[in-house]
Amino acid sequence: MNRIRPLFILMVLIAFGLITLPAFAQTAKTTFADLTPNAVPVLGVASRYPATIAVSGLANVYHVSVTLNVTHTFPSDLDVLLVGPSGATVMLMRGNGSGADLANRVFSLDDCAARGLFSASPAAGNRYRPTNSLSGTSMPAPAPAAPYRNELAAFNWAIANGTWSLYVNDRVNGDSGSINSWRLTFYTTSTPASITTGGGNPVSCSAPDYDGDGRTDIAVYRENTGDWFISQSGQSGAAMFVSWGAPALNDIQAPADFDGDGITDVAVYRRTSGEWFIRRSSDLGTMQVPFGAGSASGLGDTPVPGDYDGDGQADQAIYRTTTGQWFVRTSTGQGVQTQQWGFPPLSDVPARR
């Protein structure tokens, strides 16, 4: 007779809000939006300058993220400045985003993203750090004058209730577009910070972070079922359940930020075949990468993913327990890097966080 797994029942009760898991502090994720398109001319300020969002009911904000929906024929012409009720100013993007046309391109700005915009065209659904490539110049009045902060941590622990203003300016003649919509996402906690000034206590952007709030999430991978159970720190421990893994094929957990959006991706390394199976957080797309020696070879490969080339994306990497060799497949296209670092006769194992 089939038996229903007790933990599965518990997860269903949690998902429907019938049971709440205890967390280190009561946290919440709240989003406010301006859904009215804001036209940007070929030269000069947007039609609403500023566009605004009214925020209320928040206390103890420890992390802020901004999402933009942009249409523009040369986005590097844009200056986008965010001003909070506390008076703090953060330049979200200026002189970056490339010259490639954007059409209803949705992307986010977040301090915990793995990389800035710079000259790259923002990918749909991805996250980037605020990036100001032309610092020092003030935005047209009535926007506040420079200098501007370049980290959203300027709003951490500051006053959040009130009017938030988005100033958008096209500084180069010839191209136009629109900010179709923009959203503010706030993470709040029941535990006040010991420092109350804005930006005085930014989050650490620790990993593994499966919900994007900058804090480490508690998570387990059940090898005999291939299920992930994640307690999301940004939502008072709200449970995230992901079925990703094949017990019969000897899958082992290998989470990391493979798409460079600053959020940990669920991933497994298949020991029977030496393949990686990755579920990207940026678009929920999947990747299957053959890299490693299957169990039939007897080489004892262990997954050790990480950002070995410093480009903001985790690389597939393995440690060969039988030889003490490291093999890293870099995301920057440098091929496979090999290094001898370990001595199996003395039972060396990879040191990982």
Side-chain angles (χ1 to χ4, degrees):
M1 181 177 67
N2 292 330
R3 290 182 295 176
I4 300 175
R5 288 176 288 169
L7 186 55
F8 177 76
I9 296 176
L10 176 62
M11 297 300 294
V12 171
L13 293 175
I14 293 170
F16 283 94
L18 301 177
I19 295 179
T20 302
L21 290 176
F24 294 110
Q26 291 298 309
T27 59
K29 175 183 177 182
T30 308
T31 298
F32 297 84
D34 172 16
L35 303 179
T36 302
N38 193 13
V40 180
V42 293
L43 181 66
V45 302
S47 59
R48 289 186 294 135
Y49 189 80
T52 60
I53 291 178
V55 170
S56 62
L58 300 183
N60 302 324
V61 172
Y62 69 86
H63 189 63
V64 179
S65 181
V66 183
T67 301
L68 302 176
N69 181 329
V70 179
T71 293
H72 202 275
T73 51
F74 208 94
S76 63
D77 289 354
L78 294 176
D79 302 335
V80 183
L81 176 70
L82 179 64
V83 181
S86 66
T89 59
V90 174
M91 184 63 72
L92 299 178
M93 56 182 292
R94 180 180 232 180
N96 43 63
S98 86
D101 289 1
L102 301 182
N104 291 301
R105 184 67 53 84
V106 179
F107 58 95
S108 297
L109 289 308
D110 192 292
D111 284 352
C112 289
R115 50 194 166 177
L117 273 172
F118 302 110
S119 60
S121 178
N126 222 327
R127 303 200 311 174
Y128 302 89
R129 291 191 304 273
T131 310
N132 184 358
S133 299
L134 300 171
S135 59
T137 304
S138 293
M139 293 277 284
Y148 308 120
R149 288 282 297 272
N150 205 42
E151 309 85 22
L152 287 162
F155 303 122
N156 293 353
W157 311 109
I159 297 171
N161 297 321
T163 300
W164 290 72
S165 301
L166 192 74
Y167 293 89
V168 179
N169 177 55
D170 189 313
R171 99 189 79 77
V172 181
N173 197 2
D175 292 271
S176 62
S178 173
I179 304 298
N180 302 311
S181 65
W182 60 291
R183 302 173 187 270
L184 296 170
T185 298
F186 300 91
Y187 291 90
T188 58
T189 176
S190 59
T191 305
S194 57
I195 302 174
T196 57
T197 55
N201 187 16
V203 293
S204 61
C205 301
S206 300
D209 176 14
Y210 296 93
D211 62 0
D213 74 328
R215 296 183 175 187
T216 299
D217 295 316
I218 293 173
V220 294
Y221 173 67
R222 184 155 296 168
E223 289 189 338
N224 65 351
T225 64
D227 295 327
W228 298 69
F229 301 90
I230 300 165
S231 177
Q232 300 176 88
S233 58
Q235 301 184 60
S236 288
M240 178 189 299
F241 171 76
V242 180
S243 182
W244 191 257
L249 296 173
N250 208 14
D251 288 353
I252 185 174
Q253 55 84 22
D257 179 16
F258 294 97
D259 54 7
D261 68 345
I263 299 177
T264 301
D265 303 312
V266 169
V268 294
Y269 174 69
R270 185 154 294 170
R271 286 176 284 192
T272 55
S273 62
E275 294 178 286
W276 298 70
F277 294 85
I278 300 165
R279 180 180 181 270
R280 298 189 300 264
S281 57
S282 58
D283 58 5
L284 298 185
T286 60
M287 298 169 57
Q288 180 178 346
V289 182
F291 181 67
S295 57
S297 66
L299 295 176
D301 287 355
T302 298
V304 283
D307 183 11
Y308 293 90
D309 54 7
D311 70 339
Q313 293 178 264
D315 308 305
Q316 290 98 38
I318 55 175
Y319 173 73
R320 187 154 289 169
T321 58
T322 55
T323 64
Q325 292 174 291
W326 294 69
F327 299 87
V328 180
R329 180 181 178 271
T330 59
S331 54
T332 49
Q334 302 172 24
V336 177
Q337 309 294 314
T338 305
Q339 182 170 339
Q340 180 72 43
W341 196 259
F343 191 55
L346 294 181
S347 302
D348 287 354
V349 296
R352 296 179 291 175
R353 184 170 57 175

